[in-house]
Amino acid sequence: MTDQSPPAPDRPTGHPATPTTPDPSTEHLSTEHLSTEDRRARAMRELTEQRDAYRKPEGVSKGRRGLLIVNTGHGKGKTTAALGLMIRAHGRGLRVRMFQFLKHDTAKFGEHRTLDLLGIPYQGLGDGWTWRSRDLENSAALAEHGWALARAAIQSGEHDLIVLDEFTYPLKYGWVPWADVEATLRARDPRLHVVITGRDALPELVALADTVSEIQPVRHAYEQGIGGQTGIEY
């Protein structure tokens, strides 16, 4: 490894910091081209303007209302975000449950071990990743059966938040009919939160959802030849 000298400081060491007035000509530049002082000055000016202009929105409902939340996109973190939400809800005393439509029922990844410790119920409904399936008809049958279980849980009134992890795939593949899913979601207890994760969410699902987050990749370690890490990917 070649030694590298430390980056040059923003100003010569030993000189006292003096206030600087941002050059208006730099306002059009992205922050990566600014010095630390100019970046700070710009941020403080923008934050002050935002604070002074803020007005509490009117007409925002109070109290609990069940949300349909969709985490989609091709980036890493869709299930991770849902798990974080589950832990937050559990910490607030909400009754939480997760159904996983691709992972098999014997999977014991890091999240499963944590959920066991917290006493949060979950269930694997699949037979692993579809690209490894030796019997796609069986994969489809498992998804159909899994939806029957998840639908019963949604209709039971026994939960406050239900996560349907990787459920976009059975919908995308036509293994589970969208019409049935839509009817079930619309008819659910108005206080029940439902979170659905997975790539390529159906446009109909996106249109129905209250909150949709699309996670897109910028860089992934796997592309650099780095395999999945224990506690990070599984």
Side-chain angles (χ1 to χ4, degrees):
M1 179 179 296
T2 303
D3 292 334
Q4 295 181 349
S5 59
D10 293 327
R11 63 171 60 85
T13 58
H15 288 209
T18 55
T20 60
T21 301
D23 183 351
S25 65
T26 67
E27 289 298 304
H28 68 285
L29 298 176
S30 67
T31 56
E32 65 180 303
H33 299 294
L34 299 179
S35 69
T36 299
E37 290 78 7
D38 286 342
R39 185 179 293 111
R40 174 186 172 89
R42 171 188 279 190
M44 296 300 284
R45 186 166 61 255
E46 292 176 349
L47 291 170
T48 299
E49 292 173 355
Q50 293 171 10
R51 180 200 62 194
D52 294 345
Y54 175 77
R55 297 292 182 272
K56 188 175 182 180
E58 298 180 358
V60 177
S61 63
K62 297 182 179 180
R64 184 168 146 205
R65 177 198 182 282
L67 300 175
L68 175 58
I69 300 172
V70 175
N71 297 339
T72 191
H74 288 211
K76 172 180 170 57
K78 298 178 288 294
T79 296
T80 305
L83 288 165
L85 192 58
M86 290 173 63
I87 293 173
R88 173 181 290 166
H90 178 74
R92 284 291 193 174
L94 274 63
R95 299 165 297 173
V96 180
R97 184 169 184 177
M98 178 170 67
F99 295 93
Q100 295 188 296
F101 280 82
L102 291 187
K103 295 182 176 69
H104 51 76
D105 59 0
T106 60
K108 282 295 179 184
F109 300 144
E111 61 266 33
H112 303 127
R113 298 163 192 255
T114 299
L115 295 177
D116 286 338
L117 291 173
L118 294 174
I120 298 177
Y122 61 90
Q123 189 169 356
L125 305 169
D127 57 356
W129 300 109
T130 52
W131 59 84
R132 295 182 179 177
S133 176
R134 297 182 178 180
D135 186 348
L136 288 173
E137 288 298 330
N138 181 62
S139 299
L142 287 173
E144 185 177 5
H145 174 67
W147 166 239
L149 297 177
R151 180 178 56 206
I154 291 172
Q155 296 171 339
S156 71
E158 298 176 356
H159 307 285
D160 300 307
L161 183 146
I162 292 177
V163 174
L164 307 181
D165 185 41
E166 297 152 343
F167 188 51
T168 60
Y169 303 108
L171 289 172
K172 174 184 176 181
Y173 302 149
W175 293 349
V176 174
W178 165 247
D180 186 24
V181 174
E182 180 182 17
T184 301
L185 293 174
R186 288 187 181 278
R188 77 187 192 278
D189 186 314
R191 297 170 299 174
L192 174 62
H193 304 294
V194 176
V195 181
I196 296 176
T197 76
R199 298 185 179 196
D200 304 321
L202 293 182
E204 300 94 318
L205 173 60
V206 171
L208 182 63
D210 297 293
T211 299
V212 180
S213 296
E214 185 176 37
I215 303 175
Q216 294 297 346
V218 175
R219 180 183 297 114
H220 197 292
Y222 190 79
E223 298 169 350
Q224 304 172 57
I226 303 173
Q229 301 295 299
T230 303
I232 302 300
E233 270 79 32
Y234 59 90

